[in-house]
Amino acid sequence: HVPFDGWVMPTLERGAKDIGLTAEDAHRAFPGGAMEAIDLFNREADARMLETLERDYTLATMRIRERIATCVMVRLRGNMPYREAVRRGLSHYQMPWNAARGLKSLYKTVDAMWRAAGDTSTDYNFYTKRLLLSKVYVSTLYVWLDDNSPELKDTEAFLYRRIEDVMKIEKAKATVKGWFGAKPARRA
């Protein structure tokens, strides 16, 4: 029902009735309303992603950019049957009153990706990695929503270009850090 009617309580009530439950059951399951259902939908998508990565991939043998790209593509491919529900959910997260909730959901997704990729950082890199991946993931998500190319080739190509952009930023940061990290010679 969500692709046609959106993430609203009447939709959840209809879904409950479809599986033999009552409208009251839908309200008990999601006392916070449809936003609570969207949050659950995203947590389950993250869990499917992690399960698929664990079962079908050996991330440790890949370079870090390949690990991250694999995580993103597995997450998107896992949501292919629900693309319109994802689109509808994004529109809810973009409302100003839901922005914090949307950011929290995004953080959980990119954190799960980095952890699956083997990230063990605890310093400022922990945060910058998640921030950068958030930007890459969200922009890729919007491309994915309208991608009708075979096997999501357009989305994957876009993702790799964004990752390459991030790598350029990281190289530039390292260069600048090198400039300022060198200590001047001591004067006698």
Side-chain angles (χ1 to χ4, degrees), residues 37 55 67 106:
R55 182 187 63 234
R67 292 179 200 182
L106 175 61

Side-chain angles (χ1 to χ4, degrees), residues 13-138:
E13 292 168 0
R14 280 193 298 284
K17 287 179 184 176
D18 287 351
I19 60 171
L21 301 172
T22 66
E24 291 77 29
D25 291 328
H27 287 272
R28 276 194 294 280
F30 303 108
M35 284 305 299
E36 203 169 303
I38 297 169
D39 292 340
L40 175 62
F41 175 83
N42 283 312
R43 285 193 308 272
E44 292 200 355
D46 288 343
R48 281 193 314 273
M49 173 192 68
L50 294 172
E51 181 182 314
T52 301
L53 290 168
E54 178 75 24
R55 182 187 63 234
D56 299 340
Y57 296 88
T58 309
L59 294 177
T61 63
M62 300 176 187
R63 294 172 49 196
I64 193 66
R65 69 181 73 184
E66 293 165 345
R67 292 179 200 182
I68 292 301
T70 299
C71 290
V72 171
M73 291 309 297
V74 164
R75 177 69 154 70
L76 296 176
R77 285 189 175 108
N79 269 337
M80 279 303 292
Y82 317 109
R83 194 166 10 187
E84 288 308 310
V86 170
R87 185 186 313 273
R88 297 275 193 145
L90 284 171
S91 67
H92 281 275
Y93 279 144
Q94 292 172 346
M95 297 296 172
W97 49 88
N98 294 329
R101 197 171 199 151
L103 290 171
K104 184 177 179 180
S105 180
L106 175 61
Y107 170 80
K108 288 178 180 180
T109 297
V110 297
D111 184 56
M113 289 175 181
W114 271 114
R115 289 181 188 279
D119 181 50
T120 58
S121 63
T122 57
D123 57 359
Y124 77 95
N125 283 316
F126 177 92
Y127 300 102
T128 58
K129 286 177 179 180
R130 280 145 183 84
L131 178 63
L132 290 170
L133 181 54
S134 293
K135 294 178 79 130
V136 168
Y137 177 68
V138 169

